[in-house]
Amino acid sequence: MALTLVSRGGHTWRLTEQIGSGSEGFVYGVDDDRPLVAKLVPDPPDAAAYRRRVARLVRQRREPRTVGLLSGTPVRLAWPLVQVHTAGGSPGDRVDGYVMTDMRHAYQPFSHLLDTSARRVHLPGATWESGLRAGLALARLLAELHAEGYVVGDLKPDNLWVDEAGRVGMADVDSWQFSDGREVFPGRMRTPGYTAPERMGARAGAPPDAASDDFTLAVLVHQLLMAGLHPFAGPPADGRDYLSYDDNVLHGRCRLVDRASVLLPRSVPPADLLPRRLAHLLRTAFGGTPRRPADTEWAEALAAELGVGRLKVCKVNAHHVHTVERPWCPWCDQAERGTDSYPGPAREVR
């Protein structure tokens, strides 16, 4: 039996198929002429606080601080449009959530840009330049959010969307940290592999801040420019057991910071394919220095690498794009070792 949602104003929607799920909720298609989906959160830690959080976000959609964030096409944020709950049953049985824009209408999952196989099928025109553009779009969006007092807190590929032009969208707004002027709604979520070291091991509910978002931004920029490779990937070179990305973060095991700290296969992209300026920012972000590069610094640096004359197209494969600082094509080198991160569109099997 299909679920029905009802808004506070009495408008109803019928849900169609389940299209996604996360650590807190489920996303369903909505039977509507507009591209909409609904997120339902069956068991939030505090149901009343969650309803209040969503109500404030719906209200802030019309405030000046948010109107600018929601302008432009395609929309960059899957902002809560209407607060809803499931219809029928007793009040104690209802499930709360909200209706938002369906980001699939304009984007692909961000993870498709990080994975070679998915990229060939879903983003066939994407090159290394697309990664630069997506990093720039993400840095600019994050800078705008921080300027308006929002902290993402749980920035990760699962919450992000991208198109072939490198434009970026973001979902799961209901987990952000923000204030409505009277009440602070703390960031509630964090994800292994995408959590700043200062938030690891912190007491439950310890709030994120702009600097912790900036750490995760650096992780994502590295993945965008290294064909999906996480900057803290690889078993420890000292023979200890590999436990997790987070364990490597806490122990400073990162190829860019200390080349001898981890073991990586020869098939991964070479570290020296990065432009010097971006490599420096990444080392600063991951090296435990007191000052972490901010989103605005990333935006400036990425924009510079997209400037006139900064990119070179390989003469052998037009999908091999790289910085002019590299005298020869790093992707051809990689292909000779048996792996090509940018081979071009997948050929149709007849």
Side-chain angles (χ1 to χ4, degrees):
M1 182 177 178
L3 284 173
T4 299
L5 301 181
V6 59
S7 71
R8 296 179 66 179
H11 188 88
T12 60
W13 288 270
R14 186 176 64 84
L15 298 184
T16 57
E17 79 282 7
Q18 181 180 324
I19 59 177
S21 64
S23 56
E24 263 198 332
F26 302 88
V27 178
Y28 294 87
V30 173
D31 186 9
D32 196 280
D33 293 337
R34 297 162 294 175
L36 299 175
V37 295
K39 180 176 180 179
L40 298 179
V41 179
D43 191 25
D46 184 331
Y50 181 73
R51 288 193 289 271
R52 201 162 60 249
R53 171 188 287 268
V54 174
R56 297 295 190 277
L57 287 169
V58 170
R59 184 183 305 167
Q60 290 197 16
R61 184 168 67 92
R62 297 179 175 86
E63 295 182 1
R65 67 187 289 202
T66 311
V67 168
L69 296 171
L70 299 177
S71 63
T73 303
V75 65
R76 297 179 297 171
L77 298 171
W79 201 272
L81 304 176
V82 182
Q83 187 174 16
V84 295
H85 60 81
T86 52
S90 66
D93 293 332
R94 80 180 196 181
V95 178
D96 293 293
Y98 58 91
V99 172
M100 60 183 170
T101 300
D102 185 353
M103 301 299 271
R104 298 176 302 169
H105 183 69
Y107 299 97
Q108 293 286 332
F110 193 83
S111 59
H112 286 176
L113 190 56
L114 304 181
D115 179 78
T116 299
S117 298
R119 185 169 57 246
R120 294 186 74 188
V121 174
H122 300 288
L123 298 165
T127 67
W128 191 71
E129 180 181 355
S130 305
L132 281 173
R133 293 192 180 281
L136 173 59
L138 179 58
R140 285 175 171 171
L141 177 55
L142 201 59
E144 290 181 54
L145 294 175
H146 289 164
E148 298 299 343
Y150 295 107
V151 176
V152 177
D154 193 29
L155 188 63
K156 58 184 178 182
D158 288 350
N159 293 347
L160 296 172
W161 298 84
V162 70
D163 67 10
E164 201 162 76
R167 291 175 292 201
V168 168
M170 194 179 297
D172 285 345
V173 175
D174 58 317
S175 68
W176 292 2
Q177 179 170 287
F178 67 97
S179 171
D180 66 352
R182 295 174 297 174
E183 182 178 2
V184 174
F185 296 88
R188 300 173 293 114
M189 306 297 294
R190 52 190 173 188
T191 297
Y194 299 93
T195 301
E198 64 271 16
R199 294 193 69 207
M200 296 181 195
R203 63 179 177 81
D209 58 16
S212 60
D213 277 353
D214 290 334
F215 176 85
T216 310
L217 171 62
V219 171
L220 292 166
V221 168
H222 186 282
Q223 289 189 280
L224 285 166
L225 301 184
M226 286 289 183
L229 179 68
H230 194 285
F232 292 89
D238 60 9
R240 298 187 186 187
D241 291 338
Y242 171 76
L243 299 179
S244 64
Y245 291 145
D246 285 357
D247 184 65
N248 280 358
V249 170
L250 290 174
H251 290 89
R253 302 186 192 109
C254 172
R255 178 177 65 164
L256 271 179
V257 177
D258 179 1
R259 185 179 291 270
S261 63
V262 293
L263 301 174
L264 291 171
R266 294 183 67 246
S267 58
V268 302
D272 63 0
L273 73 80
L274 292 167
R276 287 184 292 273
R277 182 176 182 178
L278 298 185
H280 172 72
L281 288 180
L282 288 167
R283 291 189 186 98
T284 304
F286 302 144
T289 57
R291 194 195 66 80
R292 185 175 291 156
D295 42 41
T296 50
E297 292 178 77
W298 279 111
E300 180 183 355
L302 290 161
E305 297 305 328
L306 286 163
V308 176
R310 290 297 300 167
L311 296 176
K312 182 185 293 186
V313 179
C314 175
K315 295 179 180 179
V316 176
N317 186 336
H319 278 81
H320 288 181
V321 178
H322 58 94
T323 175
V324 293
E325 293 179 17
R326 195 65 154 66
W328 60 87
C329 177
W331 309 116
C332 283
D333 282 357
Q334 188 192 39
E336 289 180 1
R337 296 193 295 270
T339 303
D340 188 344
S341 294
Y342 294 97
R347 294 179 180 177
E348 183 178 352
V349 179
R350 298 180 180 274

